[in-house]
Amino acid sequence: MLVVWDSTVDIYSCVVEGHAALHSPVVCVQVKVTPEQFSEYKTLTCITTCVLTGNPTYIWYKNGQIVTDNTSPYSVLPDAADSYSCAVKGHEGLLSPAVCVQGQSCYRVTYTKRRICVLKGSTVDISCTVGYYYTTSSFWFRSDKSTPEDLTTDPGYARRVKCTGTYRGPFTLRITDLREEDSAEYRFTFKTQNIDWGHSFPGTTLSVTGLQVKVTPAAEGQKTLTCSTTCTLTDNPTYIWYKNGQNVQGVSSPMYSISSEDADSYFCAVKGRLSSPAVYKPKTSVSVSPSGEIVEGSSVTLTCSSDANPPVKSYTWYKKNGGDYQSMTGPQHVFSHIQSSDSGEYYCESQNEMGTDRSGTINMDVKYKPKNPSVSVSPSGEIVEGSSVTLTCSSDANPPVDKYTWYKKNVTSPKASGQSYSITNIISEDRGEYYCEAENKGWNNSILDVFVDVLCKLPHL
């Protein structure tokens, strides 16, 4: 049978691995002293209420200091002022209470609570009693320091720490305005004329936690808000819930059920203390980068921004009157080589556990130079000398073409301007190739050309 140790409560329990539900709260480790009456030697036995397989090794503490690794039992001389405690090696957190070798008065520290969980910003009292009344000096310290340091001289605790207690005790460490970094194990040490109480004896573990609202699906059409902490609060707090900043009357439980369609903002608090951040559905907007006008062939990024708690877990992009542009990896949609066909209105939807929100639309107006030119001749068919003919130039562009210029091949000066060029009373000298130049200057003040060859054929008369 393999035994694991559950040390999450002050009274510990032994748990058979794989059968955690079978454990019962019992004191796991204690020291038995025999014989009970005065004798030249005392035998100390480390007793566990679980059956341990193999040959476990025990750690023995004398006056709060590790003295040996040994098997149980352990023989010692009966010194009336000494105390002893034991633990199974590898599970030192499950330390037995210290016992006196003779009588009930000896060197020992007994902590009122071995574990305390309190809220950030609050005040905590950590207390202990000392079994020997004639202490010459004492102080509280954090066990994670390489060398024990008196907390009253630690700059990190300046004006937040107060120690009380006379030479008879009890001794209390009060810490105010608690911070999460105050989470640590706190120990008490003292000196007498004969001994210095060991620093290795476990003390009280303090956990400082904030409040957070977790959102989980519940029954159909419902979701559950839970006012959660990273540890179980030591006291029995009264919870308060707020909806859109207003107190929800009649609710004191850490859990609160709301409709799945509820889009309001909620946060929780412990009466008289800390409040959690609010949870609410996303508030979504969309932006385009780079800003300014968009030129065909450039790279353009659409970004969906959302203020939400819990954080947004999915984004979906849509083109108005078009297909959806779903982004599976984040809030951005990138056009690496944007085309004129990408013009249109876009919006995104963001979703978290509290709901879904849709952004406003953003218009993507892709600018491009004239393209897809075409030239028509009217009337069509043979052109007879003396008749009239009209050439018309068309081109797709954004912004639209604002200037057309007509040229005859091998002639430097332009023949005409405008989308149409009419030749009246045509003569043989008008025979040749014509082309038009389409120009738009709307977005970059440069001329963009498209060339079209036009052949006018005149019969020999």
Side-chain angles (χ1 to χ4, degrees):
M1 178 176 71
L2 176 62
V3 175
V4 294
W5 303 86
D6 179 2
S7 59
T8 57
V9 291
D10 288 336
I11 296 179
Y12 300 107
S13 58
C14 297
V15 185
V16 179
E17 187 174 50
H19 299 82
L22 302 178
H23 79 281
S24 59
V26 290
V27 176
C28 268
V29 189
Q30 59 186 3
V31 175
K32 181 179 180 181
V33 182
T34 55
E36 295 181 1
Q37 302 300 320
F38 178 82
S39 63
E40 185 177 357
Y41 284 94
K42 293 286 188 178
T43 298
L44 308 181
T45 306
C46 196
I47 299 174
T48 62
T49 55
C50 298
V51 178
L52 303 179
T53 59
N55 188 23
T57 300
Y58 297 88
I59 298 176
W60 289 96
Y61 297 79
K62 177 183 178 180
N63 299 328
Q65 187 67 49
I66 295 176
V67 290
T68 184
D69 291 350
N70 208 329
T71 56
S72 182
Y74 176 41
S75 295
V76 298
L77 290 171
D79 189 329
D82 289 335
S83 71
Y84 284 87
S85 184
C86 71
V88 177
K89 190 170 185 179
H91 304 284
E92 290 80 353
L94 290 176
L95 187 71
S96 75
V99 298
C100 300
V101 178
Q102 293 280 19
Q104 295 301 315
S105 179
C106 62
Y107 303 123
R108 59 180 171 178
V109 174
T110 303
Y111 294 92
T112 305
K113 292 182 179 179
R114 292 293 302 278
R115 278 168 175 74
I116 300 176
C117 172
V118 291
L119 287 174
K120 181 171 61 175
S122 62
T123 296
V124 68
D125 286 340
I126 303 173
S127 300
C128 70
T129 56
V130 176
Y132 193 83
Y133 297 143
Y134 302 101
T135 60
T136 58
S137 66
S138 62
F139 64 86
W140 289 89
F141 66 96
R142 283 177 62 139
S143 65
D144 55 359
K145 299 290 185 179
S146 57
T147 302
E149 300 175 9
D150 186 347
L151 282 177
T152 59
T153 64
D154 189 330
Y157 291 86
R159 296 183 296 278
R160 297 194 300 122
V161 165
K162 183 179 180 181
C163 298
T164 59
T166 66
Y167 71 96
R168 296 181 63 88
F171 297 90
T172 299
L173 168 67
R174 172 168 288 183
I175 310 174
T176 60
D177 188 22
L178 281 166
R179 307 163 185 173
E180 290 183 357
E181 57 265 31
D182 294 332
S183 297
E185 183 191 50
Y186 293 84
R187 298 179 183 178
F188 182 79
T189 185
F190 67 90
K191 289 183 180 181
T192 71
Q193 292 180 344
N194 299 317
I195 68 110
D196 183 355
W197 175 259
H199 299 143
S200 58
F201 198 87
T204 295
T205 298
L206 171 67
S207 299
V208 181
T209 179
L211 291 177
Q212 181 181 2
V213 177
K214 291 186 177 180
V215 186
T216 54
E220 185 176 354
Q222 296 287 313
K223 52 192 172 188
T224 299
L225 308 181
T226 303
C227 195
S228 66
T229 55
T230 56
C231 56
T232 302
L233 295 174
T234 300
D235 53 4
N236 188 21
T238 299
Y239 291 89
I240 304 171
W241 285 94
Y242 293 85
K243 176 180 178 179
N244 298 328
Q246 300 297 314
N247 178 228
V248 179
Q249 299 295 325
V251 181
S252 60
S253 167
M255 293 195 299
Y256 181 41
S257 293
I258 62 174
S259 166
S260 295
E261 302 303 319
D262 194 330
D264 295 306
S265 169
Y266 290 89
F267 69 89
C268 68
V270 168
K271 189 172 183 179
R273 300 188 193 170
L274 183 72
S275 297
S276 74
V279 292
Y280 47 90
K281 77 172 191 176
K283 301 169 185 176
T284 311
S285 62
V286 63
S287 61
V288 60
S289 178
S291 59
E293 292 178 315
I294 301 168
V295 180
E296 188 173 45
S298 63
S299 177
V300 177
T301 300
L302 292 177
T303 299
C304 193
S305 301
S306 189
D307 174 23
N309 189 32
V312 171
K313 63 180 182 179
S314 68
Y315 293 89
T316 306
W317 284 98
Y318 295 93
K319 181 179 181 182
K320 199 170 182 180
N321 299 322
D324 69 308
Y325 286 75
Q326 186 169 359
S327 173
M328 302 301 293
T329 57
Q332 292 187 325
H333 186 75
V334 178
F335 300 87
S336 57
H337 250 84
I338 197 162
Q339 301 298 312
S340 58
S341 57
D342 295 320
S343 292
E345 291 184 299
Y346 291 80
Y347 65 91
C348 75
E349 288 183 353
S350 57
Q351 182 180 29
N352 70 355
E353 288 85 349
M354 289 295 290
T356 301
D357 185 55
R358 171 179 166 174
S359 73
T361 60
I362 189 167
N363 185 42
M364 298 271 284
D365 186 20
V366 181
K367 308 295 185 181
Y368 53 95
K369 68 182 181 180
K371 59 182 178 179
N372 303 323
S374 63
V375 172
S376 62
V377 181
S378 178
S380 59
E382 289 187 346
I383 299 171
V384 181
E385 189 173 24
S387 65
S388 297
V389 67
T390 299
L391 308 179
T392 302
C393 188
S394 299
S395 182
D396 179 23
N398 187 22
V401 173
D402 57 9
K403 183 179 181 182
Y404 291 94
T405 305
W406 287 93
Y407 294 90
K408 184 178 182 182
K409 193 172 182 180
N410 298 323
V411 178
T412 304
S413 58
K415 301 296 290 183
S417 61
Q419 189 171 5
S420 297
Y421 170 40
S422 295
I423 306 172
T424 60
N425 195 22
I426 197 166
I427 60 178
S428 59
E429 284 79 4
D430 294 324
R431 177 190 295 158
E433 295 181 15
Y434 292 80
Y435 63 90
C436 74
E437 179 185 87
E439 177 184 331
N440 67 343
K441 304 176 183 179
W443 83 93
N444 62 2
N445 295 321
S446 66
I447 298 176
L448 300 172
D449 300 333
V450 173
F451 298 96
V452 177
D453 289 337
V454 177
L455 178 62
C456 294
K457 298 181 178 179
L458 300 177
H460 292 284
L461 300 178

